[in-house]
Amino acid sequence: MNAATARAPHYWLMKSEPDECSIDDALAAPGQTVPWTGVRNYQARNFMRDGMQVGDGVLFYHSSCPEPGIAGIARVASEVRTDPTQFDPASPYHDGASKPDAPRWLLRDVQALRKTRLLPLAELRAHPGLATMVVLQRGSRLSITPVEPGHWTLIVDGLLGGR
DNA sequence: GCCAACGTTGGC
DNA sequence: GCCAACGTTGGC
């Protein structure tokens, strides 16, 4: 990496069902790092493949649960690689149409940095400064969305008070 | 390429 | 469990 190839960090919001992998689960994993398996949407996959860079900031979001919202801070911890669950017939993420010599689905490793207070979806929606957040747009269902630097700062340093 | 049918997401 | 919204599939 040199000055010509370096770029400012990007930021992301990544949804996880806490029943499957909560922020506590991620913090308890070896190296506080988990493979982000199960992404089966091309746009979200492309964000991981083309948009992310090791070190990018991640808002760790709990979805499909009693208290949806941001639960922690993490970072992108690996280059993109094949998601092995697509080839596992026993996995709910199995994709029989994906061939090992041309894997359809990819993942990044994600390292949890810290748990935050649960910042509820309703609080995100209520904040005027976050009105244009991608994840808050009507009909947005993507499990991975980009986060603008200003939104990151507002959330991490503002609403979460840096804690 | 169109588009209806179907499947999935995810908040409520 | 409901349902709005969106993505994918597949016939034509």
Side-chain angles (χ1 to χ4, degrees):
Chain A
M1 182 75 70
N2 57 41
T5 58
R7 69 151 167 73
H10 289 191
Y11 302 100
W12 308 93
L13 181 143
M14 299 178 77
K15 296 179 184 176
S16 181
E17 299 186 15
D19 283 353
E20 210 163 310
C21 181
S22 68
I23 184 68
D24 289 322
D25 295 332
L27 284 167
Q32 296 76 52
T33 300
V34 290
W36 209 266
T37 57
V39 171
R40 295 294 180 269
N41 171 282
Y42 288 106
Q43 201 175 343
R45 180 203 68 182
N46 293 348
F47 281 139
M48 288 197 290
R49 186 186 63 191
D50 306 327
M52 286 182 176
Q53 180 167 289
V54 173
D56 281 355
V58 173
L59 300 172
F60 196 112
Y61 181 95
H62 285 177
S63 71
S64 297
C65 59
E67 288 187 296
I70 294 166
I73 307 296
R75 64 187 284 275
V76 175
S78 79
E79 299 298 332
V80 72
R81 58 189 178 86
T82 300
D83 180 346
T85 63
Q86 69 197 298
F87 303 124
D88 178 2
S91 169
Y93 301 124
H94 181 243
D95 181 355
S98 183
K99 301 302 171 206
D101 58 348
R104 184 177 289 181
W105 304 114
L106 305 170
L107 61 74
R108 294 265 185 166
D109 291 319
V110 173
Q111 181 181 36
L113 298 176
R114 60 190 172 84
K115 188 176 184 176
T116 63
R117 78 170 170 97
L118 196 282
L119 176 50
L121 176 60
E123 188 174 342
L124 297 174
R125 289 200 185 284
H127 199 296
L130 299 176
T132 60
M133 268 192 92
V134 178
V135 74
L136 301 182
Q137 300 314 298
R138 180 179 181 82
S140 169
R141 293 182 313 163
L142 273 182
S143 63
I144 299 174
T145 50
V147 174
E148 293 175 21
H151 291 156
W152 172 273
T153 301
L154 180 51
I155 290 168
V156 174
D157 298 333
L159 296 177
L160 295 173
R163 293 175 308 228

